[in-house]
Amino acid sequence: MTSHPPGSASWLVPLFAAMGLALGRVYFTALRRGVAAYTAAQPVRSLAWLLARLAAAALFFALTARWGTWALLAAFAGFLAARQLAVRAARGTT
């Protein structure tokens, strides 16, 4: 078990939300590139994008979970915000 500074939840929430947003942006960019590779008949490259983004997300959320529930929830909220941004960008709306 790791020890964290007392009262750490107050600064962890925005920090992990920002990190989740950053990971989400990278994740959905990798998803877009993987789909582009798949539609260009490059299945190996598409598989590489798939494995890279899943591994990055799994590692990030596993490490975030070590910081506690609030950090994990904040990171996931940031990730979902990045998803909203990616969906809006794909639809062409702002």
Side-chain angles (χ1 to χ4, degrees):
M1 184 161 179
T2 60
S3 64
H4 306 290
S8 61
S10 61
W11 62 271
L12 281 179
V13 172
L15 174 68
F16 279 101
M19 289 172 31
L21 181 67
L23 171 76
R25 295 297 299 233
V26 171
Y27 182 91
F28 291 108
T29 299
L31 175 62
R32 184 180 36 143
R33 290 184 180 171
V35 169
Y38 184 77
T39 57
Q42 298 173 337
V44 174
R45 183 170 289 178
S46 177
L47 181 64
W49 280 112
L50 169 73
L51 294 176
R53 69 185 159 90
L54 289 179
L59 180 64
F60 172 74
F61 285 117
L63 292 175
T64 302
R66 295 178 56 110
W67 282 88
T69 305
W70 289 110
L72 183 60
L73 288 174
F76 189 62
F79 185 82
L80 289 180
R83 180 188 174 275
Q84 273 304 112
L85 294 173
V87 168
R88 286 185 183 201
R91 289 183 182 163
T93 61
T94 55

